[in-house]
Amino acid sequence: MNDQTLDQRLAGTLEQLEGALRSSDSAAAANLFEEDGCWRDLVLFTWNLKTLEGRAQIAAMLDAQLGAAQPITIRMAEGEPASESGGVLQGWISVETAVARGVGFIRIRDGRIWTLLTTMSELKGFEEARGKRRPMGAEHGAHTHRTTWLERRENEAKELGYERQPYCVIIGGGQGGIALGARLRQLDVPTIIIEKNARPGDSWRKRYKSLCLHDPVWYDHMPYIPFPDNWPVFTPKDKVGDWLEMYTKVMELNYWGSTTCESASFDETSGEWTVQVLRDGRPVTLKPRQLVLATGMSGKANLPTFKGMDVFKGEQQHSSQHPGPDAYVGKKVVVIGANNSAHDICAALWEAGVDVTMVQRSSTHIVKSDSLMELALGDLYSERALAAGMTTAKADLTFASIPYKLLADFQKPVFKAIRERDAAFYARLQESGFMLDFGDDDSGLFMKYLRRGSGYYIDVGASELIASGKIKLKSGVGVSELKEHSVVLTDGTELPADLVVYATGYGSMNGWAADLISPEVADKVGKVWGLGSATTKDPGPWEGEQRNMWKPTQQQALWFHGGNLHQSRHYSQYLSLQLKARMEGLATPVYGLQPVHHLG
C-alpha cells in the first residue's frame, strides 16, 4: 500500500473525528475509537493530565469539555506522512482549540482509533518569543534615558519579591525547578525560584563523588538548550551542576540561592499565598498567586528507625548525605539498601579499598546500561535515533503517546529480550545470592520507576563486584538492631561497622507540603507519584496518570513538579502553560480532578 493511500486513510479518520467534535456529538466521536481505546490528553482539552480509557470515559469528557474548546481543528501534521506497522496505522497530528494550539499522535487498528494523544503546545495570543518572534535585543537609533540589558536585569532582580510580587514561586532549585522556571520565563510569568543551596547545581555537587547520570545524554536535555554533541553519554554529577548553573544564568532566571522556605499558607478568600523565606539570613515575605513544590521526587529522605541507632558509636548517614569513600579507607561499612544509590556507593567504597557489605532486604530489578540503551531507549534516545530523524520533542511525544494502561504491555517484550540477552549475567548474580525481579508483571525498569520511583539499579559496574563477591552481600534479611560497633541482622548475623549508610530511598513529595504548609494540606492533596497499579509500593485504585504531578491538585494553586531530567523537560511545558493561562485570566475548566485515596 503506497504512502498516499496511508495518508488518505489517516486523514479520513481525522476528518470524521473533527466533524464529530465540531458538531459536539460526543457519542459519535467516542464511537470512532475501539471499545477499549484510549485518549490521553495533556492539558489541551481537559486542562489536566488525563487519560480517558474506553468509549464511555471519552464521551463523558467530551460532554463536559467540548463547549469551551470550540472551534476544534484536527489535521495531519504538515510534512509528517502516515506510516503503518503490524496492522497499526499511525501518524502525527496538529490540533487547535479556541484558546490553544497543540500536537499529538494517533494509532488506528481495523479502522478505529486505538490510542490518541493530544497535547497543548502554546496559548493563542501568548506565544513564546522565539523563532520569528524572538526579541531584537539591541535598540537601534538614538534614545534618551536608554537602559541596557544589564541594567534591566539588575532592576528586575532588585524589585521582584520586594517592590513587586512574583506571580509564581517555585520551592526547589534543582533541575525540575530550573526547567519550569525557564518555561515560565519564556512565557513572561514573573517567577522566583527558592533554593537552600548557594548555587544552582549544588544539589548535584553535594552528592557522593562517584555519582553520574545513569540515563544517557539524549534522554537528559533541558528545555531550549540541548547538551552539545560532544557531551559525554553519562554526565558526571559536577558537570551536571555546572551545566545547571550556566543554564540558570543564560536563561535569566530569578534564582534565590541560600534561601530557605520557612512556611507557606494560602488565603482562600484572596487566592494568594503567603510564603515566608529566609534569604541570606534575612526574612522576606512573598505573596504569589501560585506555589510549585519542585523539591524533588527523591527529595525527602526516608530514614529508618532501628533499635540501637542511639547507641551505635560509628557514623550513620542517609545516602543523600554520603560524601564518598575517602574518609573510610581501611574501615568497615554496611550499606542498607540495594537500589541505584546503594550500588553506586558500594562500588566507590570498594574501589577505595573499603570493606563494604550490602544488605538487600527485598528484590531489586537490575538492567545492564548497554542493554537498556540499545533495546529500551535506542529507537528514541540515541545517535541511531538522531540519524533516523528522531528529535527530542518527537521522542518525548512518542513515549507520551502510549497510555499508561498499555505501557506495561509495550515494555514486557523489551525486557524479555534484555533478560534473554543477559541471561548469563543474571545467572551469576543469582548464584551470588542477589534477589532479582523484573517488576511484579515483568514489565521492567520504566514501569517500576513510574509506579514507585524505586526498586532498580542500572548496572554500570557494581553488579559484577557483587557477583564476584568483592562487594559482600547479605540478602533476604532485615536489620534487627545496631550495637555499639556492629549491625545485627534478622538472621542473627552480626556485621562489624564503622559506618552505616541508609540507602533507603525517599518519601512522597507531599511530605514537603506537610512540613512547609500543614499536615492538613498534605492530606488534602494526598500521595504524590504512582499510577495506582496495585503493584508493590503503588497501591490502587488505578489513576492512569502520575498522582498529583504537573497538574491541578485538590489544593487550589498548589502544584508539584519533578521527576528525572526527561520528565522535568517534557512536563514543564504543560505545567507552565497551565500557570500562564491562569495568570492571563483564561478559563481553565479542569476535567477529572483526581480524588484522594492515599495520604502518605
Side-chain angles (χ1 to χ4, degrees):
M1 191 171 289
N2 62 49
D3 288 346
Q4 183 61 40
T5 305
L6 294 180
D7 285 355
Q8 288 175 339
R9 288 168 55 201
L10 183 58
T13 296
L14 294 176
E15 185 177 348
Q16 287 181 285
L17 180 59
E18 180 187 86
L21 296 178
R22 282 190 166 231
S23 61
S24 294
D25 192 338
S26 301
N31 283 334
L32 293 172
F33 286 76
E34 294 182 357
E35 183 66 39
D36 295 322
C38 293
W39 181 340
R40 188 179 191 214
D41 181 67
L42 304 182
V43 184
L44 188 61
F45 285 89
T46 59
W47 290 100
N48 199 352
L49 273 61
K50 191 72 178 174
T51 299
L52 297 318
E53 300 172 356
R55 291 175 183 168
Q57 288 189 17
I58 292 168
M61 183 276 284
L62 293 174
D63 282 340
Q65 302 298 102
L66 278 180
Q70 300 288 10
I72 297 165
T73 302
I74 300 182
R75 300 279 190 274
M76 288 180 62
E78 188 175 345
E80 297 288 351
S83 62
E84 189 171 38
S85 176
V88 178
L89 176 65
Q90 59 189 26
W92 295 99
I93 61 175
S94 60
V95 191
E96 284 195 33
T97 66
V99 298
R101 301 179 189 90
V103 297
F105 195 81
I106 190 170
R107 294 181 181 87
I108 301 167
R109 293 192 303 196
D110 299 324
R112 293 196 181 274
I113 300 169
W114 180 26
T115 71
L116 176 65
L117 171 73
T118 51
T119 73
M120 185 181 289
S121 300
E122 60 184 6
L123 293 162
K124 294 179 179 177
F126 303 103
E127 296 84 357
E128 292 186 12
R130 56 176 173 162
K132 294 180 180 179
R133 300 187 186 92
R134 73 172 72 230
M136 286 296 293
E139 294 182 58
H140 294 157
H143 303 279
T144 59
H145 308 295
R146 180 194 295 269
T147 58
T148 66
W149 169 85
L150 179 60
E151 289 169 332
R152 291 192 295 273
R153 279 292 292 138
E154 288 175 340
N155 286 337
E156 180 183 27
K158 178 182 176 182
E159 294 173 1
L160 192 63
Y162 297 96
E163 297 173 30
R164 62 187 180 93
Q165 288 298 316
Y167 180 75
C168 179
V169 165
I170 301 171
I171 308 297
Q175 71 259 14
I178 289 171
L180 179 59
R183 299 275 193 192
L184 292 171
R185 180 74 182 185
Q186 295 305 106
L187 290 168
D188 290 326
V189 177
T191 301
I192 293 174
I193 302 170
I194 303 297
E195 170 56 42
K196 65 181 179 181
N197 289 306
R199 297 160 54 200
D202 276 354
S203 57
W204 285 93
R205 294 186 187 98
K206 292 183 176 182
R207 295 297 304 279
Y208 53 91
K209 71 176 189 177
S210 63
L211 177 63
C212 284
L213 291 180
H214 288 190
D215 299 319
V217 62
W218 309 278
Y219 188 73
D220 291 333
H221 296 298
M222 294 288 284
Y224 308 113
I225 308 177
F227 294 118
D229 58 13
N230 66 342
W231 200 258
V233 174
F234 301 107
T235 312
K237 71 178 183 72
D238 296 286
K239 196 171 180 67
V240 176
D242 289 348
W243 181 265
L244 292 176
E245 187 168 19
M246 176 281 299
Y247 184 94
T248 300
K249 190 177 182 77
V250 169
M251 295 304 292
E252 304 177 18
L253 306 187
N254 294 300
Y255 191 98
W256 286 14
S258 300
T259 305
T260 56
C261 180
E262 300 277 274
S263 66
S265 59
F266 185 69
D267 188 316
E268 300 283 350
T269 303
S270 66
E272 184 177 78
W273 287 94
T274 298
V275 182
Q276 304 288 355
V277 305
L278 279 179
R279 187 183 189 194
D280 294 319
R282 297 180 179 179
V284 181
T285 300
L286 300 173
K287 295 279 191 176
R289 310 292 291 191
Q290 307 289 339
L291 182 65
V292 180
L293 298 187
T295 46
M297 190 200 108
S298 299
K300 192 168 182 62
N302 273 337
L303 193 64
T305 301
F306 297 128
K307 178 184 175 183
M309 290 175 74
D310 57 335
V311 303
F312 182 68
K313 298 294 188 182
E315 285 187 68
Q316 299 176 73
Q317 55 197 211
H318 188 266
S319 58
S320 57
Q321 281 96 43
H322 179 67
D326 294 352
Y328 307 104
V329 175
K331 297 187 177 182
K332 294 182 182 296
V333 178
V334 174
V335 177
I336 311 299
N339 296 331
N340 264 336
S341 293
H343 279 80
D344 283 349
I345 290 168
C346 285
L349 288 165
W350 177 86
E351 288 177 353
V354 178
D355 182 329
V356 58
T357 301
M358 175 187 288
V359 177
Q360 183 191 27
R361 298 175 296 170
S362 58
S363 64
T364 308
H365 173 50
I366 305 290
V367 58
K368 291 174 72 69
S369 177
D370 56 351
S371 297
L372 183 73
M373 285 200 299
E374 183 176 338
L375 298 180
L377 290 171
D379 290 343
L380 297 179
Y381 302 99
S382 66
E383 290 298 325
R384 166 165 60 88
L386 289 175
M390 181 62 69
T391 65
T392 302
K394 274 189 178 180
D396 289 349
L397 288 165
T398 301
F399 191 76
S401 74
I402 306 170
Y404 291 133
K405 179 183 178 183
L406 305 177
L407 186 57
D409 289 335
F410 276 71
Q411 293 294 303
K412 286 174 187 177
V414 174
F415 284 90
K416 182 175 184 290
I418 288 173
R419 187 180 233 161
E420 292 170 352
R421 166 177 162 152
D422 296 325
F425 163 76
Y426 290 121
R428 291 189 67 234
L429 259 182
Q430 287 181 304
E431 286 167 8
S432 75
F434 195 88
M435 299 184 297
L436 289 168
D437 71 60
F438 274 74
D440 288 13
D441 56 358
D442 291 331
S443 58
L445 177 75
F446 295 111
M447 295 310 303
K448 259 206 165 186
Y449 175 70
L450 292 166
R451 289 166 173 169
R452 54 182 280 192
S454 64
Y456 53 84
Y457 168 58
I458 301 172
D459 179 38
V460 293
S463 291
E464 179 57 36
L465 297 176
I466 292 170
S468 63
K470 293 173 180 176
I471 294 173
K472 297 174 184 176
L473 176 69
K474 287 295 296 182
S475 63
V477 293
V479 175
S480 176
E481 65 175 312
L482 273 66
K483 294 185 176 180
E484 288 189 355
H485 301 289
S486 64
V487 177
V488 181
L489 304 180
T490 52
D491 66 354
T493 302
E494 188 166 348
L495 303 174
D498 301 297
L499 166 68
V500 179
V501 179
Y502 299 106
T504 45
Y506 300 86
S508 172
M509 284 177 69
N510 72 335
W512 288 111
D515 290 350
L516 299 176
I517 308 169
S518 71
E520 292 75 21
V521 167
D523 286 348
K524 183 178 181 181
V525 168
K527 182 178 171 65
V528 179
W529 204 262
L531 304 174
S533 62
T535 57
T536 303
K537 295 190 178 181
D538 183 28
W542 176 247
E543 301 281 357
E545 292 287 342
Q546 287 289 355
R547 291 187 189 95
N548 284 312
M549 292 298 295
W550 317 296
K551 60 184 178 180
T553 68
Q554 291 286 353
Q555 172 58 57
Q556 181 186 342
L558 177 64
W559 311 78
F560 293 87
H561 176 65
N564 58 28
L565 280 155
H566 158 261
Q567 290 170 311
S568 293
R569 171 186 68 243
H570 183 62
Y571 289 101
S572 60
Q573 173 178 318
Y574 309 117
L575 178 48
S576 67
L577 290 167
Q578 292 173 82
L579 295 170
K580 174 67 171 178
R582 284 162 173 79
M583 189 184 85
E584 299 297 343
L586 302 180
T588 57
V590 175
Y591 180 80
L593 184 65
Q594 71 169 42
V596 175
H597 298 291
H598 307 287
L599 304 183

